[in-house]
Structure formats: structure tokens, C-alpha cells
């Protein structure tokens, strides 16, 4: 079983986050590109009730299908994760709709990925702020967070969906998807 371990850390800007990551001596894995994610579920919300996620991601010319199980209690976000590359996200979404699933949440971010030791470091620019996401082994995540000048009190384990809902509600905004304003009507 594949296990995902990650945290997010909030930053004021992508430039600040990128500078902090590069100061660690991290090397770039993938350049900045738009990621478009769709979360799917059944009409009776079977996946959400099970605290699980089925996601289709379009990521700079490649597509991924991901299943994530419930988050386990702890200081990091830890959950079962299974992911596979697919050829065509739109065709996959059509197939999933045909078997009774529907997209219930869409979100976008610009992501740039780096590597330092055994941690993948992502700089995520989202419509609700900039975050560094650390994914890897638990000791390496803690070590990298400390090297970035952060402590466990700074760890964010919420999903981008929850961060979007908090942001939207705090500002009295409307909207059901976390997409960039210039792309909201697409």
C-alpha cells in the first residue's frame, strides 16, 4: 500500500517561497506549470462519506488518476494514495461520468517542484495564497520544515478545498470552485 505524507506551509509570495527552497540547496524537478484538478464522487457522496478522494489531474500535458483514502490522525497529513498516469484527462472524465461519477469540486494551482534529500518540495500558487508543500518521509519533512525556519505549529494539513472554503467564507465570497478569476468562466 502506498502512503502519502505531507504538510503545507503558507508563504506571502511565490518569490519568497522559491527563494527559501533554493536557499536549502534544493534542485528543480519540474518547472512552473498549471495543474487543474477535478474531484469526483457518486450522487450519494460515497467517497466523501468515507473521507476518501478520487481526483483527475491535468498537469502540464500529462494526466493522473489518484485515489486517496481517509487522513490518519497525527501532526502530518498521512493517507493511503494510489496514482496512475492516464493518456487523456477529458476522456477519463467522460468515462467516469458514464459510470455514475460527477465532478463536485475543481481547483487550480501553478506548481513548481524541487527535491532536497528525500523530500519533494512544491511551491504552489493558488487563488487563496502561496504554499510550500513538503512530501516524503516523516523525519525528512520535519527536518526540511525546520530548515525553512518553521515548526510543527506552522504545519497545515488541510486540503486545498478546505483552505478555499475558509478563504471564501472569511471574505464573504461566492463560488464553488477554487479557480483563478481569469479562468473561472472556462
Amino acid at each position: 500500500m502506498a502512503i502519502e505524507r505531507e504538510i503545507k506551509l503558507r508563504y506571502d509570495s511565490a518569490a519568497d517561497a522559491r527563494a527559501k527552497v533554493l536557499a536549502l540547496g534544493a534542485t528543480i524537478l519540474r518547472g512552473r506549470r498549471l495543474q487543474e484538478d477535478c474531484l469526483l464522487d457518486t450522487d450519494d457522496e460515497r467517497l466523501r462519506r468515507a473521507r476518501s478522494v478520487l481526483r483527475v489531474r491535468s498537469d502540464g500535458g500529462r494526466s493522473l488518476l489518484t485515489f486517496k483514502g481517509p487522513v490518519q490522525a497525527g501532526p502530518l497529513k498521512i493517507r493511503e494514495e494510489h496514482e496512475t498516469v492516464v493518456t487523456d484527462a477529458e476522456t477519463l472524465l467522460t468515462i467516469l461520468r458514464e459510470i455514475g461519477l460527477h465532478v463536485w469540486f475543481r481547483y487550480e494551482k501553478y506548481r513548481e517542484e524541487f527535491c532536497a534529500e528525500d523530500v519533494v518540495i512544491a511551491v504552489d500558487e493558488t487563488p487563496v495564497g502561496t504554499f510550500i508543500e513538503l512530501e516524503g518521509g516523516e523525519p525528512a519533512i520535519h527536518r526540511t520544515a525546520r530548515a525553512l525556519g518553521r515548526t510543527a505549529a506552522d504545519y497545515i494539513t488541510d486540503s486545498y478545498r478546505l483552505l478555499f472554503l475558509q478563504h471564501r467564507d472569511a471574505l464573504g465570497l461566492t463560488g464553488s470552485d477554487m479557480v483563478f478569476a481569469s479562468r473561472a468562466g472556462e
Side-chain angles (χ1 to χ4, degrees):
M1 170 172 33
I3 300 293
E4 172 189 55
R5 292 172 181 81
E6 70 177 29
I7 62 164
K8 294 177 186 73
L9 303 167
R10 187 180 293 273
Y11 280 80
D12 291 332
S13 71
D16 180 41
R18 192 174 298 105
K20 300 281 190 210
V21 170
L22 292 172
L24 296 177
T27 57
I28 192 155
L29 288 176
R30 293 195 68 205
R32 183 178 183 269
R33 75 266 180 211
L34 179 67
Q35 287 185 337
E36 300 171 273
D37 294 326
C38 294
L39 302 185
L40 295 105
D41 206 342
T42 59
D43 287 340
D44 66 357
E45 299 182 345
R46 183 174 40 215
L47 290 169
R48 279 190 273 181
R49 285 186 287 112
R51 299 178 17 242
S52 297
V53 173
L54 183 65
R55 179 184 70 204
V56 174
R57 171 174 285 170
S58 297
D59 180 5
R62 102 185 162 143
S63 302
L64 302 161
L65 174 65
T66 308
F67 171 81
K68 297 182 181 212
V71 175
Q72 301 171 19
L76 306 181
K77 184 181 217 177
I78 300 174
R79 66 194 315 182
E80 176 184 359
E81 179 183 68
H82 302 281
E83 188 166 72
T84 190
V85 175
V86 295
T87 307
D88 181 343
E90 285 306 314
T91 299
L92 177 60
L93 286 169
T94 298
I95 292 167
L96 294 173
R97 283 187 201 103
E98 290 295 323
I99 63 170
L101 297 170
H102 67 274
V103 174
W104 64 274
F105 182 64
R106 293 181 326 123
Y107 61 105
E108 298 176 330
K109 62 187 170 296
Y110 287 95
R111 174 170 274 188
E112 186 174 11
E113 290 172 297
F114 303 84
C115 182
E117 296 182 30
D118 61 343
V119 174
V120 174
I121 304 168
V123 174
D124 288 343
E125 302 166 60
T126 80
V128 300
T130 300
F131 301 87
I132 286 180
E133 187 175 277
L134 304 177
E135 185 173 343
E138 189 167 347
I141 289 173
H142 293 302
R143 190 170 49 251
T144 304
R146 282 192 305 273
L148 290 167
R150 301 301 182 92
T151 68
D154 299 310
Y155 292 6
I156 299 169
T157 57
D158 294 332
S159 66
Y160 279 123
R161 178 175 184 273
L162 184 55
L163 293 171
F164 163 73
L165 293 175
Q166 291 168 348
H167 176 83
R168 182 193 70 185
D169 295 349
L171 297 178
L173 302 173
T174 59
S176 57
D177 292 325
M178 186 180 87
V179 295
F180 292 101
S182 62
R183 300 175 52 83
E186 292 181 10

